[in-house]
Amino acid sequence: TQSTWEEALFRSDVGQLQWRLITMLIKPQTIGVLPIKYVPSTNALKTISDTQVQKPVDLGTIVNANKLQAQQPYFSCPEWVGIPHKGFYLEVRRGQDLMDTLNIDESPYYLFGRNQSVVDFYLEHPSISRVHFALVHHYNGSVFIIDLGTAHGTAVNNKRIEKNKPIKLEVDFTIKVAESTRFYVLKKGNYNNSTQQLRTREVKERKDPPIKPTATRIKEKEEERKRKEEEHTDESHQWEERKKRSTKQIPDTIQCCHILLKHRDVTDPRDRNGIPVTRSKEEALRQLGQLREEIILNLDGLGPEGKIRKLAKKVSDCVTWKKFGELGKIKKGEKAKEFEDVAFNLEIGEISEPFQTEFGVHIVLRKELSRDA
């Protein structure tokens, strides 16, 4: 019937778009001998008015300008970011204990890490990077996690995720950050329920406590404070000990590709076409920082290696631009010390921050060593 197919049409976004085009471009016509004119039924009109289709948002209109300015050098939001659906939060757990709850339904995205001047949620463990991962709300209501190229990684449901690649989270998925013993559980619903659980546990633990002298209470509070400090110190100490036992071995040979931007203060201030370079060192650093963000964001799906090769071919001032920025095998001592200090300390697949040598400003991506490099 007319009502059946028109309702099915309006259940899809495509159908709504098609009907708008139909109503704009087509007047009532005669097919055969029957005049055909579509008149939406009451049910169909209700479907249209009740459907709220979210769209990507302009962050500048809904996110604090200071937050954007502080976080822009570390993270660029994907184009699909949207206004968060209400009710999302994280439970912070350690073993079976609920330690805290974090509300994550007020901003389109959140950053987590140890740099308190940049991140939205500060994480203390020494293995965690300064800006470790991002939670981003998709305009369709989904939540994604992005590991921001960290050394010690991020795991979802105990499986380490790929760096700089958005991973969709479902409710009750767990997030483990580097070597921290705490983990995070994505929840949706009444945020106050978990907060109430914390309060209920605290009440049960102190139910009908005996009245103690003030001096005793003060002493016990001080002991509790010291105990918590020792727990954190012990966790940090255990991490440092594990780190010492597995001290990173600097390889003798690596393989990498890079992008070089020269500036007017280098030894040979000419670009790859022999034209004098006029940009300042600060401008070169800024431009390479933007290119690094573009590589990490990976909007075109090329991956870090594919993207840096493409950009090297396009903009690099090193002669290796002809080989897509490929440097091949590099043995210790073959390159400038400033270059090797960065490149040889990268993890495979990790991309460096922009850094300076006598030749200009670089970003480097370390690759897996291939036999035919």
Side-chain angles (χ1 to χ4, degrees):
T1 65
Q2 177 182 345
S3 178
T4 301
W5 68 259
E6 68 191 20
E7 289 176 12
L9 177 67
F10 277 96
R11 284 196 184 101
S12 68
D13 294 343
V14 175
Q16 293 182 40
L17 177 59
Q18 289 174 339
W19 177 243
R20 291 191 187 100
L21 292 174
I22 291 170
T23 56
M24 290 170 60
L25 302 177
I26 301 178
K27 295 181 179 180
Q29 300 181 29
T30 300
I31 301 178
V33 295
L34 295 176
I36 305 297
K37 182 178 180 181
Y38 175 66
V39 180
S41 69
T42 304
N43 289 337
L45 290 173
K46 185 175 185 296
T47 306
I48 298 171
S49 61
D50 289 349
T51 301
Q52 300 295 327
V53 181
Q54 293 279 2
K55 299 297 181 186
V57 297
D58 178 6
L59 290 176
T61 63
I62 59 174
V63 178
N64 181 277
N66 292 331
K67 168 183 164 78
L68 287 177
Q69 183 177 3
Q71 296 177 343
Q72 190 271 337
Y74 302 90
F75 177 68
S76 293
C77 240
E79 293 181 352
W80 43 259
V81 65
I83 297 173
H85 286 204
K86 289 297 181 182
F88 282 110
Y89 64 95
L90 293 177
E91 288 185 348
V92 186
R93 291 186 172 273
R94 186 176 182 181
Q96 297 297 319
D97 294 331
L98 178 62
M99 310 296 292
D100 201 356
T101 52
L102 307 177
N103 189 7
I104 56 166
D105 68 350
E106 295 179 354
S107 176
Y109 73 94
Y110 295 90
L111 298 187
F112 294 70
R114 290 194 298 120
N115 189 336
Q116 297 188 62
S117 63
V118 173
V119 299
D120 300 289
F121 293 104
Y122 171 64
L123 310 181
E124 294 182 348
H125 197 276
S127 68
I128 295 172
S129 297
R130 288 172 294 178
V131 184
H132 197 100
F133 73 91
L135 286 184
V136 186
H137 290 274
H138 196 287
Y139 66 82
N140 67 8
S142 304
V143 180
F144 285 78
I145 184 171
I146 305 174
D147 178 285
L148 300 177
T150 60
H152 299 287
T154 308
V156 173
N157 290 345
N158 295 319
K159 182 179 179 181
R160 186 163 176 171
I161 63 175
E162 186 177 337
K163 297 177 181 179
N164 306 310
K165 179 180 180 181
I167 302 296
K168 184 179 178 181
L169 297 176
E170 302 290 350
V171 172
D172 292 328
F173 274 25
T174 61
I175 303 168
K176 187 175 184 302
V177 189
E179 299 296 326
S180 175
T181 57
R182 296 187 179 192
F183 62 94
Y184 305 82
V185 185
L186 180 66
K187 294 290 185 179
K188 187 176 184 181
N190 189 348
Y191 171 75
N192 293 323
N193 284 347
S194 290
T195 305
Q196 186 60 40
Q197 289 179 31
L198 282 172
R199 292 172 181 165
T200 302
R201 189 187 71 188
E202 291 170 356
V203 168
K204 286 181 179 178
E205 289 175 350
R206 63 173 187 264
K207 185 177 180 181
D208 298 328
I211 299 176
K212 300 178 182 179
T214 301
T216 303
R217 294 200 303 271
I218 293 175
K219 182 179 178 181
E220 288 180 350
K221 285 184 178 180
E222 180 64 17
E223 289 175 350
E224 176 67 13
R225 183 187 65 80
K226 288 182 178 180
R227 185 185 64 78
K228 289 183 178 180
E229 285 183 354
E230 288 172 357
E231 280 184 0
H232 175 65
T233 302
D234 182 59
E235 184 177 339
S236 300
H237 176 70
Q238 290 176 11
W239 155 248
E240 293 295 341
E241 287 298 314
R242 289 198 302 271
K243 189 176 178 181
K244 289 178 182 178
R245 290 196 299 269
S246 58
T247 301
K248 181 179 177 181
Q249 297 296 321
I250 304 299
D252 295 325
T253 305
I254 62 170
Q255 184 175 341
C256 59
C257 54
H258 82 138
I259 297 175
L260 167 68
L261 290 186
K262 291 185 178 182
H263 54 83
R264 60 186 176 223
D265 298 323
V266 299
T267 306
D268 180 18
R270 292 178 296 173
D271 66 13
R272 66 193 198 182
N273 298 314
I275 301 173
V277 176
T278 58
R279 73 167 70 93
S280 66
K281 181 176 73 172
E282 290 73 21
E283 179 65 13
L285 285 166
R286 187 186 67 80
Q287 290 179 5
L288 264 188
Q290 292 176 342
L291 292 179
R292 181 179 184 272
E293 291 174 9
E294 188 175 338
I295 293 167
I296 290 174
L297 197 53
N298 190 33
L299 291 178
D300 51 13
L302 293 176
E305 183 176 343
K307 190 66 175 179
I308 196 171
R309 284 169 56 87
K310 180 179 178 180
L311 292 174
K313 183 75 172 180
K314 182 178 179 181
V315 303
S316 182
D317 288 325
C318 180
V319 294
T320 58
W321 72 266
K322 299 177 182 178
K323 299 188 293 182
F324 301 92
E326 294 286 349
L327 291 168
K329 284 184 178 179
I330 302 174
K331 293 183 178 180
K332 199 75 169 151
E334 289 183 347
K335 299 293 182 182
K337 182 180 184 301
E338 299 90 341
F339 186 93
E340 291 189 355
D341 285 347
V342 174
F344 278 78
N345 281 284
L346 293 173
E347 300 284 344
I348 293 175
E350 184 178 4
I351 185 169
S352 73
E353 299 279 353
F355 65 96
Q356 168 79 11
T357 71
E358 60 181 305
F359 304 104
V361 180
H362 309 252
I363 54 174
V364 179
L365 173 72
R366 185 181 167 196
K367 302 171 55 179
E368 188 171 358
L369 198 62
S370 61
R371 294 179 181 179
D372 56 349

